[in-house]
Amino acid sequence: MASRAETDDDSDNNRGSMWVLDQKLDQPMDEEAGRLKNMYREKKFSALLLLRLSFQSLGVVYGDLGTSPLYVFYNTFPKGIRDPEDVIGALSLIIYSLTLIPLLKYVFVVCRANDNGQGGTFALYSLLCRHAKVRTIPNQHRTDEELTTYSRSTFPEKSFAAKTKRWFEKHASRKNGLLVLVLVGTCMVIGDGILTPAISVLSAAGGIKVDHPGLSNDVVVVVAVAILLGLFSMQHYGTDRVGWLFAPIVLLWFLLIGGIGIFNIWKYDSSVLRAFSPVYIYRYLKRGGKEGWTSLGGILLCITGTEALFADLAHFPVSAVQIAFTVVVFPCLLLAYTGQASYLMMNREHVHDAFYRSIPDSIYWPMFIVATLAAIVASQATISATFSIIKQAHALGCFPRVKVVHTSKKFLGQIYIPDINWILMVLCIAVTAGFKNQSQIGNAYVVIVMLATTLLMTLIMILVWHCHWLLVLLFTGLSLAVECTYFSAVLFKVDQGGWVPLVIAAAFLVIMYVWHYGTLKRYEFEMQSKVSMAWILGLGPSLGLVRVPGIGLVYTELASGVPRIFSHFITNLPAIHSVVVFVCVKYLPVYTVPEEERFLVKRIGPKNFHMFRCVARYGYKDLHKKDDDFEKKLFDNLFLFVRLEYMMEGCSDSDEYSLYGQQTEQSRGPLQIKNGDTNTSSTLSDVDLTISSESPIMPVKSPSHINSVTISSAGQTSSQNEMDEREFINSCRDAGVVHILGNTVIRARRESRFYKKIIVDYIYAFLRKICRENSVIFNVPHESLLNVGQVFYV
């Protein structure tokens, strides 16, 4: 389909009498692309700024992981401790779980697989989409691969990576399977975003009952709900402000639990340090039998929040996250768990409130306040992670259109999504009020998202990193051995609360997959029903209609060809605007598209048709509405295109062009233009052209071989024609700009199966109805909006 689109595009250029520069100008630009990539690489942070970001990351990334000591031992031994050796075994499991999963796997391996600082399952999927054609919506063009941020590596045709790539590209079912795996992992993170605030806040608020045993559990629930209401109400201030507010609390929390841990080891039983020997894990599982095996579901809680650590990379640089974990988080957690185990060796009957019981009486209430505040912070990690992954899912066509607000001018990854925030709040409060018990909520955690990340990382190591198969096997084998062990343990607790994240994840999975299915069908409909250029050319310069003053911006999902919406429009209305621009806004599997490369412009048909195409490209980190002057930028690039087109015509007597300065004869093609402080780029006939006024176009051949009079005459004529067309477009712009949007309604055919009718006619239709309109996403004024409806049966 993509190759057919390219063929149509090329034939359109020929039929439209466009000047042909592809063979002359479409040359490799490795040197220039490398120079631009260096320009747009993530900025290096100073040591002081890195420490500041590491400090802030404590309040956003590590809150969930850091508050696990509140409830891990309680959920591991819900029926009490029978043997002191069980405490040593459980502590050994906690130590090695923290070492293998958060430290080795995520901080030092998975975090390296970030997509230019972006984390989460969708970032991994974007990397794979650039290295293999596994994306289910084939809306990419060869020019997209020339973006400076479209980084990818190559590998030999006979390598294992090449064979894996071909295996995935061969069948659509494998691409869909990969997408479903990504969606499942994403939905489980969202589920954790609902459960984590509930268990953290409820566990912290439960400290009231330690000092007041007669207090009703309903009071604890009410306090927890009030805290959650306040937490979600603060999200609109943004991660940057919330991070500054929460980071001191979390840092104090880690220092206190680490200090209390050292105190308990010294005061009670230092023999718990034997737990650093893995032999006690074997003894614990052998002695405990099935009960010991199911207790792994409680120990698993010590690593919850690890996936949020990876998803929150969009908010902070990788190095800041790594420094915070290795210097503060990891050692303090080990001390906290070891201290609690030391206390339990002497006080086994206090396992249900081990954290609060192990606190010295003199600092109990200050620690209770800090613990409550830290539990509030713990929720921030998964909430921020949920915002990040939903933004990525939306950009890649897997989530309904929602409002995304950037809350920081310095860090583009810090976002806030109001709709999702309130949905999370309602579900979180419902879980808290419904369970009323941290043990039941603790049983609800599963490890599916970690399994999904492991499988995706295996593909990353093969296709992106090109690791040796032994290294891939070692990473995958160790990760799956640990995670499948935990997964088998939590399966025993599905009926005790483990069904909650599964139900939540399943609901979000249905929403995301149905939306992606509808988006794919709409794109296929656009591709199959697009109008041929022969039909457009047959209409003549007036397109067979009255050309009224003004500019019509026709929005389409196609980056090539004339959309059906245009033929539908002119068939039902007797007039069309004097200038028509087909606008395609599309998201690519890259984290961002530089402003200079965002717009591609070309002409459709002869010049007297006054028809153009403009493709605006965005990455999943970019926000379209951030361009409040989108229309202005579009016309700036349109005028630049017209100028470049006539400039090249004025020099058409020369067969070869070159640039003085930074360019060489072999690198002809990239031409750069600078207008003051503004740098823009345009593409002629899908060829990227950048023109510099400091390096005028000069003929390569000797001047004696060229008739200077002819060139001068041609240049003057070209300049006059350029001015005429620019004035014509300006006058049409002054007359008014109308945004023409298609409102395609998808319905299932009568003969379709029952489940397909449910998906298309009800679920997808409902999602379309409640999501934001395209006109809002594109920031189109209502007085300039024209919707064109059409029905498509699938």
Side-chain angles (χ1 to χ4, degrees):
M1 187 177 291
S3 59
R4 191 186 79 180
E6 291 178 18
T7 306
D8 290 347
D9 229 19
D10 292 337
S11 63
D12 291 353
N13 292 337
N14 294 331
R15 292 174 181 172
S17 303
M18 283 286 291
W19 41 268
V20 181
L21 291 174
D22 285 23
Q23 298 300 318
K24 297 179 181 178
L25 296 178
D26 197 8
Q27 300 294 329
M29 297 188 288
D30 297 339
E31 182 181 348
E32 290 74 16
R35 192 181 304 121
L36 285 171
K37 283 181 182 178
N38 290 333
M39 186 187 308
Y40 292 106
R41 189 174 294 161
E42 289 288 328
K43 294 180 180 179
K44 297 291 183 181
F45 297 97
S46 65
L48 190 62
L49 180 59
L50 197 58
L51 289 175
R52 170 196 157 189
L53 292 172
S54 300
F55 171 70
Q56 275 188 280
S57 70
L58 290 173
V60 176
V61 178
Y62 293 114
D64 184 12
L65 197 62
T67 53
S68 296
L70 282 167
Y71 44 78
V72 168
F73 278 108
Y74 171 47
N75 285 276
T76 303
F77 301 107
K79 297 179 182 179
I81 301 171
R82 291 178 295 185
D83 191 336
E85 289 296 306
D86 288 345
V87 178
I88 304 292
L91 177 61
S92 187
L93 277 165
I94 291 170
I95 290 171
Y96 283 97
S97 297
L98 283 171
T99 304
L100 291 174
I101 302 299
L103 181 65
L104 296 181
K105 178 186 174 182
Y106 276 87
V107 172
F108 288 109
V109 179
V110 177
C111 283
R112 288 186 59 239
N114 66 88
D115 185 14
N116 289 278
Q118 304 298 299
T121 49
F122 268 103
L124 298 179
Y125 182 62
S126 297
L127 278 174
L128 293 174
C129 287
R130 296 207 298 269
H131 288 78
K133 296 178 181 178
V134 295
R135 194 173 182 187
T136 53
I137 301 178
N139 66 339
Q140 288 181 232
H141 191 264
R142 60 183 175 83
T143 54
D144 299 331
E145 299 178 6
E146 297 171 4
L147 287 170
T148 55
T149 51
Y150 199 98
S151 57
R152 61 175 182 170
S153 53
T154 57
F155 34 76
E157 282 297 318
K158 295 184 179 180
S159 64
F160 182 64
K163 293 177 182 177
T164 306
K165 176 177 177 289
R166 287 193 293 269
W167 186 83
F168 268 102
E169 294 175 349
K170 195 171 183 180
H171 295 290
S173 59
R174 294 166 188 170
K175 299 178 184 179
N176 286 324
L178 181 63
L179 178 66
V180 170
L181 176 67
V182 172
L183 294 181
V184 167
T186 302
C187 293
M188 291 310 301
V189 174
I190 297 173
D192 283 354
I194 295 168
L195 297 175
T196 295
I199 188 172
S200 300
V201 174
L202 196 57
S203 299
I208 302 175
K209 294 189 67 177
V210 175
D211 197 62
H212 299 81
L215 200 65
S216 170
N217 192 56
D218 291 336
V219 175
V220 177
V221 173
V222 171
V223 172
V225 169
I227 292 172
L228 290 171
L229 283 170
L231 172 68
F232 284 99
S233 299
M234 291 176 59
Q235 294 302 313
H236 70 279
Y237 289 110
T239 308
D240 192 48
R241 294 182 182 178
V242 171
W244 274 116
L245 176 65
F246 286 168
I249 298 171
V250 177
L251 179 59
L252 179 62
W253 163 259
F254 278 119
L255 294 177
L256 284 173
I257 63 173
I260 292 172
I262 294 173
F263 173 78
N264 287 334
I265 295 170
W266 169 77
K267 181 179 179 180
Y268 294 103
D269 191 352
S270 60
S271 67
V272 294
L273 296 176
R274 292 176 295 160
F276 282 88
S277 171
V279 71
Y280 288 94
I281 296 177
Y282 170 75
R283 294 179 183 176
Y284 173 78
L285 295 176
K286 182 180 179 181
R287 185 173 54 254
K290 181 181 177 182
E291 188 174 330
W293 191 265
T294 55
S295 70
L296 293 175
I299 292 172
L300 171 65
L301 296 178
C302 75
I303 57 174
T304 55
T306 304
E307 191 63 33
L309 177 156
F310 180 48
D312 278 326
L313 284 183
H315 299 263
F316 300 98
V318 177
S319 50
V321 172
Q322 291 174 331
I323 290 172
F325 187 82
T326 53
V327 175
V328 178
V329 179
F330 185 65
C332 289
L333 284 177
L334 290 184
L335 289 172
Y337 287 116
T338 307
Q340 279 191 53
S342 179
Y343 176 82
L344 289 173
M345 291 289 285
M346 300 295 182
N347 304 275
R348 283 181 284 164
E349 68 279 5
H350 292 163
V351 66
H352 291 283
D353 42 28
F355 175 80
Y356 284 110
R357 292 284 186 179
S358 64
I359 299 173
D361 293 337
S362 58
I363 61 169
Y364 177 82
W365 283 110
M367 193 62 194
F368 169 76
I369 295 172
V370 174
T372 304
L373 293 174
I376 297 172
V377 178
S379 311
Q380 185 62 46
T382 48
I383 293 170
S384 300
T386 303
F387 290 161
S388 295
I389 59 177
I390 285 181
K391 169 66 172 68
Q392 294 174 4
H394 165 251
L396 295 174
C398 296
F399 201 84
R401 296 182 295 270
V402 290
K403 182 179 181 180
V404 179
V405 180
H406 278 260
T407 57
S408 174
K409 294 181 179 179
K410 296 179 181 178
F411 307 104
L412 194 59
Q414 297 185 359
I415 59 174
Y416 165 66
I417 305 178
D419 300 335
I420 300 301
N421 183 64
W422 304 126
I423 290 173
L424 290 179
M425 185 189 75
V426 171
L427 292 176
C428 187
I429 291 175
V431 169
T432 304
F435 279 92
K436 300 182 180 180
N437 184 286
Q438 56 172 303
S439 178
Q440 287 182 311
I441 301 176
N443 293 339
Y445 278 95
V446 290
V447 74
I448 296 176
V449 63
M450 292 184 181
L451 290 170
T453 300
T454 298
L455 297 176
L456 290 173
M457 276 301 302
T458 302
L459 294 176
I460 292 291
M461 295 177 77
I462 295 172
L463 296 176
V464 182
W465 292 351
H466 308 153
C467 296
H468 194 276
W469 65 271
L470 284 175
L471 205 59
V472 177
L473 191 63
L474 179 65
F475 171 82
T476 307
L478 284 175
S479 298
L480 290 180
V482 175
E483 290 158 8
C484 288
T485 301
Y486 279 123
F487 184 61
S488 64
V490 297
L491 286 178
F492 290 101
K493 297 190 175 185
V494 170
D495 60 336
Q496 302 173 33
W499 55 271
V500 173
L502 296 178
V503 170
I504 294 172
F508 276 95
L509 180 62
V510 169
I511 291 172
M512 296 173 80
Y513 191 81
V514 167
W515 184 263
H516 179 267
Y517 176 80
T519 303
L520 176 62
K521 289 302 178 183
R522 287 181 61 202
Y523 180 79
E524 289 178 350
F525 168 68
E526 292 268 9
M527 285 296 295
Q528 294 167 4
S529 60
K530 65 180 181 180
V531 181
S532 67
M533 275 307 300
W535 181 76
I536 293 292
L537 292 173
L539 297 176
S542 67
L543 303 181
L545 301 167
V546 177
R547 302 295 293 268
V548 298
I551 297 180
L553 300 181
V554 183
Y555 288 82
T556 173
E557 295 184 12
L558 297 180
S560 63
V562 178
R564 178 186 174 88
I565 179 182
F566 181 71
S567 64
H568 188 63
F569 177 79
I570 64 176
T571 301
N572 290 275
L573 292 176
I576 191 64
H577 301 90
S578 300
V579 177
V580 177
V581 182
F582 297 106
V583 181
C584 172
V585 177
K586 67 176 181 178
Y587 284 87
L588 302 175
V590 296
Y591 75 105
T592 187
V593 176
E595 286 288 339
E596 297 80 19
E597 303 175 71
R598 177 148 296 162
F599 291 92
L600 298 178
V601 182
K602 66 174 289 184
R603 189 185 294 276
I604 298 179
K607 292 179 181 176
N608 55 358
F609 277 32
H610 299 297
M611 296 176 64
F612 302 88
R613 181 186 317 287
C614 178
V615 180
R617 303 174 295 182
Y618 291 84
Y620 57 80
K621 184 178 176 181
D622 297 323
L623 185 65
H624 175 68
K625 198 175 179 181
K626 187 173 184 289
D627 294 336
D628 294 327
D629 54 346
F630 174 80
E631 186 180 306
K632 178 181 179 298
K633 291 181 180 179
L634 188 151
F635 285 117
D636 286 345
N637 280 268
L638 180 61
F639 290 138
L640 178 61
F641 168 81
V642 172
R643 181 184 176 190
L644 293 177
E645 185 180 22
Y646 282 101
M647 285 178 68
M648 299 308 295
E649 283 186 347
C651 300
S652 59
D653 291 329
S654 174
D655 292 333
E656 299 182 17
Y657 305 100
S658 179
L659 290 176
Y660 290 104
Q662 297 179 345
Q663 307 292 343
T664 63
E665 182 177 347
Q666 285 75 17
S667 66
R668 59 182 173 269
L671 313 169
Q672 192 169 30
I673 191 161
K674 296 181 180 179
N675 299 323
D677 294 330
T678 309
N679 252 353
T680 50
S681 74
S682 181
T683 296
L684 308 182
S685 297
D686 290 342
V687 181
D688 214 5
L689 299 182
T690 2
I691 298 190
S692 179
S693 56
E694 299 176 359
S695 304
I697 301 174
M698 298 292 290
V700 174
K701 297 180 180 180
S702 171
S704 60
H705 295 286
I706 301 175
N707 188 331
S708 60
V709 176
T710 303
I711 291 182
S712 176
S713 175
Q716 291 176 1
T717 305
S718 175
S719 178
Q720 184 59 46
N721 291 338
E722 175 204 337
M723 292 300 297
D724 290 343
E725 182 157 17
R726 285 167 62 92
E727 287 179 5
F728 176 76
I729 296 175
N730 252 328
S731 64
C732 292
R733 184 182 180 184
D734 294 338
V737 178
V738 176
H739 301 258
I740 305 171
L741 273 70
N743 187 17
T744 304
V745 178
I746 299 180
R747 291 179 182 169
R749 294 189 178 95
R750 278 189 175 183
E751 62 274 16
S752 298
R753 295 184 178 180
F754 175 75
Y755 68 87
K756 189 174 184 179
K757 291 182 179 179
I758 296 293
I759 291 173
V760 176
D761 292 346
Y762 294 97
I763 302 178
Y764 182 72
F766 175 73
L767 293 175
R768 281 287 307 272
K769 187 176 181 180
I770 64 173
C771 76
R772 305 186 86 207
E773 295 287 343
N774 266 328
S775 58
V776 178
I777 298 294
F778 295 146
N779 202 21
V780 176
H782 284 288
E783 61 273 12
S784 304
L785 176 63
L786 180 60
N787 269 315
V788 180
Q790 49 188 353
V791 180
F792 168 49
Y793 292 91
V794 296

